[in-house]
Amino acid sequence: MRHVIALDVGGTGMKAALVGADGALLHEARRATGRERGPEAVVETILGFAADLRAYGIEHFGESAVAAGVAVPGIVDAERGIAVYAANLGWRDVPMRDLLGARLGGVPVALGHDVRTGGLAEGRLGAGRGADRFLFVPLGTGIAGAIGIAGAIEAGAHGYAGEIGHVVVRPDGPECGCGQRGCLETLASASAVTRAWAAASGDPDADAADCAKAVESGDPAAVRVWLDAVDALAAGLVTALTLLDPRTLIIGGGLAEAGETLFTPLRAAVEERVTFQKLPEIVPAALGDTAGCLGAGLLAWDLLATASQPLTEAQPAEAQPADPQPAADDDDNDPPADEPLATEVSA
């Protein structure tokens, strides 16, 4: 059965799959990234994981993968296939495409930016399916965004489009790692809610999920923390929809797992803030933590479809690549620390 290898690399764990031409997940696997062993060991773990997936495909489907796609965090030069920088993985200028291609017997390899790759999957296969324009915003350790236009993800002229987490919503707010104050991700990310609830509850081990549960039980302190984050998130999202006018706004990541505890007040806060803007449909992401893998698989199939040069997330299959530019993300959109690791599941 014809298939591609898909890898989604995070700071803590890696998710991988063999993906069929119809987007079906034929085999899924997870492993620890092992970043404590250093960047060279992380790269070797990725290469070894990919090689094991190739062997699995040969054994169970009778043929080797015809291509591979890999999504990584940080700054990514998708055009040249280089993982430029990731603070949480410690690497710089890793020629990921060439290394993977060599380990996989010379098959073509597509490299993508993690959030934009997940957005590609949500747009084609998930909550954005059928929407000509959407914005995908995962609320994880950090916040980033993917701008979907006609089945492709817009990377911008320099590869920095979608960095909604660094829109300043409260100029007097907390200092951000980017050097500004009051960035959206310092106030409305899962880690921001975790910090605020740990302080408000007096429990240093409390996290955002605990805050959501306390909100559901009616805890007034939790409600204050939660609505403060929702207010900041709404401010950032209204700025984004003012600029982008998306038809659908897709919210994913850890905070979205709170369901209507998040979406009911968020929809109300966004609606309250809009004036002339058209209110988009605000929906939860549909693919969960498989989005990155599915997106990496789509990149690989798109790459085969072009039959020429590597394709970035920003182009549909029929388009030609633009001038090479790096892509960037806050390096913080990684799987949560308690994500199951080193487990494998066959479909």
Side-chain angles (χ1 to χ4, degrees):
M1 181 183 296
R2 205 160 181 255
H3 62 275
V4 298
I5 292 169
L7 286 162
D8 179 18
V9 179
T12 304
M14 297 186 292
K15 295 174 285 290
L18 299 181
V19 183
D22 60 354
L25 294 173
L26 306 175
H27 170 68
E28 297 178 71
R30 296 174 186 250
R31 288 186 185 174
T33 304
R35 63 180 176 181
E36 69 280 355
R37 295 180 294 119
E40 292 182 1
V42 169
V43 172
E44 182 55 38
T45 297
I46 295 168
L47 300 179
F49 199 5
D52 289 347
L53 289 163
R54 178 174 183 264
Y56 185 96
I58 293 171
E59 179 181 354
H60 291 83
F61 302 113
E63 60 181 294
S64 177
V66 293
V70 58
V72 298
I75 301 174
V76 181
D77 186 337
E79 193 66 35
R80 294 193 300 146
I82 296 175
V84 178
Y85 175 69
N88 55 0
L89 295 175
W91 66 34
R92 288 182 181 271
D93 298 321
V94 177
M96 190 65 72
R97 184 178 67 204
D98 291 345
L99 291 173
L100 271 172
R103 185 65 65 94
L104 296 175
V107 300
V109 175
L111 178 69
H113 171 271
D114 57 352
V115 172
R116 283 200 282 271
T117 300
L120 181 68
E122 283 289 348
R124 291 195 196 172
L125 305 172
R129 191 169 186 173
D132 54 346
R133 284 174 170 77
F134 68 87
L135 177 63
F136 169 57
V137 181
L139 308 174
T141 307
I143 297 178
I147 303 165
I149 302 174
I153 301 298
E154 172 56 51
H158 304 94
Y160 288 77
E163 291 296 331
I164 186 176
H166 297 289
V167 169
V168 174
V169 293
R170 293 179 188 163
D172 58 347
E175 186 174 351
C176 180
C178 75
Q180 301 184 107
R181 300 191 71 90
C183 286
L184 179 61
E185 74 172 40
T186 68
L187 298 160
S189 62
S191 58
V193 174
T194 291
R195 288 192 298 270
W197 179 233
S201 66
D203 179 0
D205 297 322
D207 61 14
D210 297 325
C211 184
K213 292 175 185 175
V215 170
E216 292 162 8
S217 68
D219 185 308
V223 170
R224 284 194 297 272
V225 167
W226 193 258
L227 291 183
D228 187 59
V230 167
D231 180 72
L233 180 58
L237 292 177
V238 170
T239 296
L241 67 89
T242 302
L243 292 172
L244 301 173
D245 188 26
R247 198 173 306 279
T248 305
L249 182 55
I250 305 168
I251 307 297
L255 282 191
E257 294 177 7
E260 287 305 312
T261 300
L262 173 67
F263 283 93
T264 296
L266 178 60
R267 291 185 184 109
V270 171
E271 185 171 4
E272 183 179 316
R273 286 176 176 271
V274 298
T275 54
F276 66 90
Q277 305 94 333
K278 292 293 185 181
L279 192 67
E281 184 180 13
I282 302 175
V283 299
L287 302 176
D289 69 357
T290 65
C293 264
L294 286 168
L298 290 172
L299 287 180
W301 285 116
D302 281 355
L303 178 57
L304 289 173
T306 64
S308 56
Q309 299 182 30
L311 185 75
T312 71
E313 306 98 316
Q315 295 122 4
E318 67 272 17
Q320 293 299 315
D323 294 337
Q325 297 289 352
D329 179 32
D330 62 340
D331 293 315
D332 297 323
N333 290 288
D334 303 317
D338 58 353
E339 178 181 342
L341 302 175
T343 60
E344 302 202 359
V345 179
S346 297

